[in-house]
Amino acid sequence: MTLELRGITKRFGSLVANDRIDLTFEPGRIHALLGENGAGKSTMMNVLYGLYTPDEGQILIDGEPVTFHGPGDAMAAGIGMVHQHFMLIPVFTVAENVVLGHEPTGPLGIIGLEQARTLVREISARFGFDVDPDAKIEDLPVGVQQRVEIIKALSRDAKVLILDEPTAVLTPQETDELIEIMRQLRDSGTAIVFITHKLREVRAVADEITVIRRGKVVGTASPTDSQAELASLMVGRDVSLGVEKGPAEPNEQALEVAGLSVLDAVGSPVVRDVSFTIRGGEVLAVAGVQGNGQSELAEVLLGLRKATAGSITLDGTELLGKSVDQVLRAGVGFVPEDRSKDGLISSFSIIENFVLDQYAQEPYAKGPAMQLGVGRQKTAEAVEAFDVRTTSIDDPVSTLSGGNQQKVVLAREMSRPLRLFVASQPTRGLDVGSIEFVHQRIIAERDAGTPVLIVSTELDEVLSIADRIAVMYRGSIVGIVEAGTDRDVLGLMMAGVPPEEARQEAVEHPTAMHEVEGEEPS
Amino acid sequence: MSVSAPTRPTRDPVLLAPISWRTPIIMTVLAALALFGFALFTPAGLESTIELTGASAAWQLPDLVIGSRAAALALVLVAFALAGLSFWTAQNRRRSMAVPVVFGICLVFAFLIWAVAGNASGLPLPFLLSTAMTAALPLIFGAFAGLLCERSGVINIAIEGQLLAGAFLTAVLATVAGNAYVGLIAAPVGGALVGLILAVFSIKYRVDQIIVGVVVNVLVLGLTSYLFSTVLSDDPLRLNNPPQLPALRIPLLADIPVVGEALFNQNIIVYAMYAAVVALHIGLFRSRWGLRVRAVGEHPKAADTVGIDVNRTRYRNVVFGSAVAGFGGASMVAAGLAFTKEVTEGRGYIALAAMILGRWSPTGALAAALLFGFADSLNRVLNNIGSPVPYEILAMLPYLATIFAVAGLVGRVRPPAGAGKAYPS
Ligand SMILES: Nc1ncnc2c1ncn2[C@@H]1O[C@H](COP(=O)(O)OP(=O)(O)O)[C@@H](O)[C@H]1O
Ligand SMILES: [Mg+2]
């Protein structure tokens, strides 16, 4: 089945998320949609899947115009989608999730669970998945959850399968397996829409590439084009891939973490016996697949979470057991994982957000009174220094784009003398320009002699800014390795393989993407 | 083949959560309270009489007569032993529901034996259980209503109002028609109408569900009280004098000692309740309807993406659930009692507690509601046979039972993840 988008426009208020998009997806092809964060890729797919109604334009199946009133219609038409944020019910089993909405039923609407299990087993067998139909989703690692999503789409005979940023949660090896699955599906005649902002992946699998920028189709590219060409098409200007940084010059300052363990709300361990040291002037990146305890580790450092064992000493002072306020006053800068939820108060102005963690201290306050003038002046300076694009610092921070919001958070955390800087997913959801900027500021902080801890699930980011890399798997540190470590090795470590074994394994079984990378010097 | 992540559930064998000593500690404290509160002070030489068969039973068993002091102390000692056992199970990280339940039964009997020590008429156990069932009925249906709504993602604080509306319509229509069964048809309609208000405001207009629920309760209370003191009070005989719903005795089964009367010599509402438990349990956990409802309550967006109409599901469940609560309201006037102002006396809220204690499952809610119903009827029966405990203290029993049960037994409960949040349409 051929699926065509013709002149699709979708607006959110004044923002045009999709601007007259024309696209065609053909059976037996892997069509990659490449675009930066915020380019409008997910919006377009949600239109295609019936979740949003387009403001203008048409969807055509085999040349016939169709109208979708909801995802049900799109599914009935043979469109399946693996969403960027998985649409699985955590407390249901795999089989229940797969059949939800098209359950096999017996008398009185009783669900035929055996049929559901068989369905899961059949599709799993076809692709060599090892998925237990009776496992609960919440007990499964994200990589497996994604397979459940794929099984779910295939169980409805999807002729067009949309994968929205499917590799964001995978290790390189898992990505490799996913690519294999995509090829298998393509060869059996499925049209695959592969959405990503990672150039390397596009070049590895795509049959054709469409690049989207600011809601518009800006061109098509061939998988044989170089990474730099793809990057400049995606961003609209030449970009340097990677951060310029000199070698680290460690000093005497240090953060020492020893034997740290943390339990989650239901009492299962999320961080286990973690120990490491970061010297001043050095960036330690914590890599790992999402949900392996990295975020919790960062939160414990700030005092947002309690540890059950261990110690955190900064220049000899114990941080554990101190309140967040005390930790901040001890000179810890912290960029939380979710800026819109934990980093900013969206209805507050930029000034108010800027003074958020120091409003009660000198120089922003004198006794009980806030010194509004001081706040205004310092904010104006910081906005200038951090290149926050805004019309007025009195505007609510919610009016800024994601990248500029993140710059406000960074400006706040870095505008005071720091003795430790911790950032969780500092560039998640940002456009390339902002990513570059954020990385430069982080390296500048390092070069000022501060110990820096970065938590990131993006291997590219880890590789470009880390001086040393700690890989976490199920709450433990699998190993701490040097900056130049091969991405395949890191990928295996992210699946829990110890460094030595990982090195061997990576040499014996390089991933497909590794080969792509090898084609050109980058 | 490269190494991929494990595909089976992973549970950690090495690092474990700290042991929770809450249940054993609460049990020990309760046993100590029983020991020093009454067991030690049971007068020596008195005897406690407990009736085992009701008046209508085909086979009559002789009353059980035991030495009060020895029996009460023995039961409390067993309770201490069970508390000790519970320390052991906690230490070994086992979970047992049986230990706290047997513990509770021991303490309750110790208390009863002390309370009726030397009392000539003795404790009518079959009657006590029978009234416990009657008292539990509105709680059971209320809890069902709560879980029907909440499983689909709408918190139903308005159970109180739905019970009240059901009771009111039952009383009036049964009186007017001169037929108790007509009241039973009217009751769910009353509940559903109240539910419709909750549904429209919380689903369509996305007003905070708790706030709408509370407002609805106040509204129904005001309305029924107003009608009661004006219209109904003007002509109580022709408007508020419902006929009694007859008890339907099931031969043989009703003759079973101790529990026969309570289970099988009851009006049709009780039998309907049995059917409802089974139907709801199967419906929620085995049927397509239940899977979809739970999906909507847990993760509405995910349900939406597989083509389930989230808000329609919620509408249906809220209205249906509220009808169930309304039906439960009928049980409060089923004995031929007239409707009075606020006849529900906060039972809607206790029903909500029963739902939570029962972890949003029909069987759990049933057990919890029976527990509260028992506490309620105990208070009345003891008051009737004349007990040494002041009435005011006894009247607190159902609520104390609620607090202890929720605090001590529930542990970590997990409500449906999507409950309380409106879904954009
Ligand atoms: N529901 C929404 N309401 C308002 N704005 C939205 C909504 N969804 C997306 N946007 C905006 O539309 C733009 C495109 O978003 P999206 O399609 O998610 O981008 P991509 O998937 O390419 O990263 C972004 O600027 C985003 O902020
Ligand atoms: Mg997206």
Side-chain angles (χ1 to χ4, degrees):
Chain A
M1 140 182 150
T2 303
L3 184 64
E4 203 181 332
L5 297 178
R6 214 178 265 171
I8 295 285
T9 298
K10 175 73 193 171
R11 298 186 194 90
F12 294 113
S14 63
L15 177 93
V16 186
N18 290 160
D19 190 358
R20 284 163 291 159
I21 300 262
D22 294 316
L23 276 175
T24 309
F25 304 117
E26 281 168 8
R29 305 281 286 170
I30 297 177
H31 191 144
L33 289 183
L34 183 64
E36 281 202 83
N37 283 310
K41 306 177 299 282
S42 296
T43 303
M44 189 164 50
M45 291 307 122
N46 285 334
V47 167
L48 191 53
Y49 194 64
L51 278 166
Y52 294 151
T53 354
D55 296 315
E56 280 160 37
Q58 269 187 326
I59 299 168
L60 296 94
I61 291 179
D62 292 329
E64 294 292 315
V66 288
T67 316
F68 297 150
H69 296 288
D73 292 351
M75 278 184 310
I79 300 174
M81 179 152 163
V82 175
H83 295 262
Q84 191 167 359
H85 306 284
F86 295 161
M87 291 297 161
L88 296 171
I89 288 141
V91 297
F92 283 11
T93 65
V94 169
E96 285 171 334
N97 269 290
V98 167
V99 298
L100 184 66
H102 65 138
E103 306 83 354
T105 48
L108 292 173
I110 304 295
I111 294 176
L113 263 188
E114 205 37 59
Q115 280 159 274
R117 290 191 192 107
T118 314
L119 183 69
V120 174
R121 287 202 196 97
E122 269 173 20
I123 301 175
S124 304
R126 227 192 301 157
F127 295 95
F129 298 169
D130 174 24
V131 179
D132 175 8
D134 291 316
K136 256 196 197 167
I137 295 296
E138 60 189 356
D139 297 333
L140 296 173
V142 273
V144 181
Q145 293 186 13
Q146 182 175 69
R147 291 171 180 201
V148 177
E149 282 280 29
I150 295 174
I151 294 174
K152 197 168 122 187
L154 296 179
S155 74
R156 294 164 179 268
D157 292 322
K159 306 265 186 330
V160 177
L161 183 63
I162 304 167
L163 298 156
D164 193 355
E165 308 250 6
T167 56
V169 294
L170 303 181
T171 66
Q173 283 75 18
E174 287 173 320
T175 302
D176 222 39
E177 290 170 22
L178 176 70
I179 288 176
E180 206 37 59
I181 295 163
M182 286 174 16
R183 290 192 177 133
Q184 208 177 329
L185 281 168
R186 170 193 61 193
D187 295 342
S188 64
T190 311
I192 301 222
V193 184
F194 174 49
I195 299 176
T196 187
H197 61 265
K198 296 186 187 168
L199 308 167
R200 188 192 305 276
E201 294 168 356
V202 179
R203 299 180 61 235
V205 281
D207 295 316
E208 50 204 302
I209 303 171
T210 301
V211 183
I212 294 174
R213 192 191 325 141
R214 300 207 178 151
K216 287 195 180 105
V217 172
V218 291
T220 52
S222 142
T224 52
D225 290 348
S226 75
Q227 282 205 45
E229 283 171 312
L230 288 176
S232 59
L233 195 55
M234 178 168 94
V235 182
R237 61 180 167 85
D238 284 342
V239 285
S240 62
L241 300 164
V243 197
E244 280 172 35
K245 70 181 207 312
E249 290 169 17
N251 61 25
E252 285 312 298
Q253 267 192 46
L255 170 78
E256 281 175 48
V257 172
L260 194 69
S261 289
V262 181
L263 298 175
D264 68 8
V266 278
S268 19
V270 282
V271 174
R272 307 148 191 252
D273 196 18
V274 160
S275 306
F276 58 83
T277 304
I278 315 177
R279 310 223 69 93
E282 178 186 55
V283 176
L284 178 77
V286 179
V289 173
Q290 174 122 34
N292 277 286
Q294 314 94 306
S295 320
E296 288 81 2
L297 174 64
E299 288 174 14
V300 172
L301 289 177
L302 190 70
L304 284 168
R305 254 174 207 276
K306 281 202 188 112
T308 41
S311 73
I312 302 170
T313 41
L314 180 59
D315 303 338
T317 350
E318 177 66 50
L319 288 186
L320 218 54
K322 290 200 167 152
S323 69
V324 175
D325 188 46
Q326 286 167 326
V327 174
L328 287 174
R329 283 173 195 240
V332 178
F334 182 78
V335 176
E337 181 172 308
D338 184 343
R339 59 179 167 270
S340 52
K341 210 170 101 224
D342 302 322
L344 296 166
I345 298 178
S346 55
S347 59
F348 277 21
S349 72
I350 297 170
I351 302 183
E352 286 164 330
N353 272 293
F354 184 78
V355 301
L356 205 54
D357 56 2
Q358 299 159 75
Y359 68 92
Q361 299 164 29
E362 296 273 350
Y364 300 108
K366 213 182 227 169
M370 275 176 74
Q371 300 296 100
L372 294 176
V374 180
R376 171 172 298 277
Q377 189 208 333
K378 295 255 178 195
T379 309
E381 285 168 19
V383 160
E384 181 74 30
F386 280 81
D387 189 30
V388 181
R389 310 269 166 86
T390 173
T391 43
S392 157
I393 54 173
D394 291 306
D395 283 349
V397 79
S398 59
T399 57
L400 301 183
S401 73
N404 283 306
Q405 289 186 4
Q406 186 73 342
K407 287 180 191 168
V408 173
V409 178
L410 281 176
R412 178 179 70 214
E413 299 301 319
M414 290 179 160
S415 294
R416 57 197 163 98
L418 292 185
R419 287 164 62 202
L420 170 67
F421 180 69
V422 180
S424 225
Q425 312 295 356
T427 59
R428 177 176 285 175
L430 301 193
D431 54 281
V432 171
S434 305
I435 292 176
E436 276 176 2
F437 182 84
V438 170
H439 284 169
Q440 280 161 9
R441 293 308 300 212
I442 291 173
I443 295 303
E445 190 65 48
R446 175 197 83 161
D447 292 342
T450 312
V452 176
L453 179 90
I454 303 295
V455 171
S456 176
T457 51
E458 293 267 355
L459 215 39
D460 289 321
E461 170 162 82
V462 168
L463 285 167
S464 64
I465 58 171
D467 295 312
R468 285 186 302 138
I469 303 166
V471 181
M472 277 186 87
Y473 174 69
R474 294 183 59 202
S476 311
I477 291 192
V478 181
I480 302 184
V481 293
E482 291 311 308
T485 306
D486 185 89
R487 51 193 309 131
D488 277 6
V489 175
L490 291 172
L492 288 163
M493 290 173 69
M494 284 159 73
V497 182
E500 283 319 307
E501 259 177 70
R503 274 186 233 278
Q504 274 185 9
E505 172 82 20
V507 174
E508 288 162 24
H509 305 282
T511 62
M513 297 252 278
H514 197 268
E515 283 151 21
V516 168
E517 188 187 28
E519 283 168 11
E520 46 148 353
S522 62
Chain B
M1 193 63 224
S2 54
V3 183
S4 50
T7 53
R8 285 174 199 289
T10 48
R11 278 278 145 78
D12 204 282
V14 193
L15 261 167
L16 290 164
I19 295 170
S20 163
W21 297 110
R22 190 175 49 169
T23 310
I25 289 174
I26 290 182
M27 284 169 70
T28 313
V29 169
L30 284 179
L33 279 177
L35 184 66
F36 296 107
F38 57 84
L40 278 179
F41 308 107
T42 319
L46 291 185
E47 289 185 325
S48 299
T49 311
I50 297 177
E51 259 177 53
L52 296 179
T53 39
S56 73
W59 324 286
Q60 291 288 330
L61 290 184
D63 293 348
L64 186 68
V65 182
I66 40 178
S68 311
R69 190 179 163 86
L73 283 174
L75 282 169
V76 170
L77 286 184
V78 173
F80 270 112
L82 286 167
L85 181 63
S86 142
F87 273 103
W88 181 81
T89 51
Q91 172 85 53
N92 289 287
R93 297 171 187 281
R94 291 191 202 176
R95 283 184 159 266
S96 156
M97 203 58 200
V99 175
V101 168
V102 178
F103 171 89
I105 294 175
C106 283
L107 280 197
V108 166
F109 270 93
F111 174 74
L112 286 177
I113 285 167
W114 165 75
V116 299
N119 191 309
S121 57
L123 177 78
L125 194 52
F127 176 72
L128 174 67
L129 295 181
S130 191
T131 50
M133 176 65 90
T134 318
L137 270 187
L139 305 181
I140 298 172
F141 282 105
F144 287 172
L147 70 91
L148 272 168
C149 297
E150 210 157 310
R151 281 280 184 182
S152 77
V154 180
I155 298 173
N156 185 359
I157 294 284
I159 302 172
E160 177 79 0
Q162 292 150 4
L163 289 173
L164 201 54
F168 179 84
L169 272 198
T170 305
V172 175
L173 288 180
T175 311
V176 171
N179 181 337
Y181 291 98
V182 172
L184 285 191
I185 299 167
V189 175
L193 287 176
V194 177
L196 198 59
I197 307 178
L198 175 67
V200 169
F201 281 96
S202 65
I203 300 170
K204 183 157 185 218
Y205 296 108
R206 299 195 230 159
V207 184
D208 185 281
Q209 296 168 1
I210 310 279
I211 293 175
V212 183
V214 171
V215 170
V216 165
N217 282 342
V218 174
L219 176 77
V220 177
L221 178 60
L223 194 66
T224 51
S225 299
Y226 169 74
L227 290 174
F228 171 76
S229 37
T230 54
V231 185
L232 296 197
S233 303
D234 285 348
D235 195 353
L237 272 186
R238 285 193 16 227
L239 288 175
N240 190 9
N241 184 22
Q244 183 180 0
L245 202 57
L248 309 172
R249 191 171 198 282
I250 301 181
L252 291 180
L253 287 177
D255 294 324
I256 300 171
V258 185
V259 294
E261 294 266 312
L263 297 178
F264 303 109
N265 187 15
Q266 295 279 14
N267 64 33
I268 193 161
I269 301 180
V270 173
Y271 302 120
M273 185 271 286
Y274 298 156
V277 180
V278 177
L280 272 185
H281 188 81
I282 296 177
L284 269 179
F285 300 114
R286 295 266 171 280
S287 83
R288 169 165 69 190
W289 167 77
L291 191 75
R292 292 183 176 188
V293 165
R294 286 184 290 134
V296 166
E298 288 289 342
H299 193 337
K301 180 116 197 247
D304 192 5
T305 58
V306 293
I308 298 169
D309 190 328
V310 172
N311 284 337
R312 189 187 300 165
T313 308
R314 288 186 170 180
Y315 261 112
R316 262 192 252 156
N317 265 51
V318 171
V319 172
F320 174 58
S322 307
V324 170
F327 187 76
S331 68
M332 284 181 292
V333 291
L337 301 168
F339 180 88
T340 51
K341 258 188 201 176
E342 206 178 354
V343 64
T344 46
E345 292 175 319
R347 283 191 183 83
Y349 301 106
I350 303 274
L352 214 54
M355 172 194 78
I356 296 170
L357 184 56
R359 300 178 192 217
W360 290 267
S361 97
T363 43
L366 170 66
L370 283 174
L371 174 71
F372 298 153
F374 180 79
D376 194 4
S377 89
L378 191 61
N379 141 38
R380 291 187 219 171
V381 169
L382 286 184
N383 196 41
N384 281 349
I385 60 176
S387 85
V389 193
Y391 172 76
E392 288 74 13
I393 294 203
L394 279 179
M396 295 190 327
L397 266 183
Y399 309 100
L400 281 179
T402 310
I403 292 171
F404 273 109
V406 172
L409 294 177
V410 170
R412 292 199 173 84
V413 293
R414 188 157 66 166
K421 286 168 250 162
Y423 189 74
S425 47

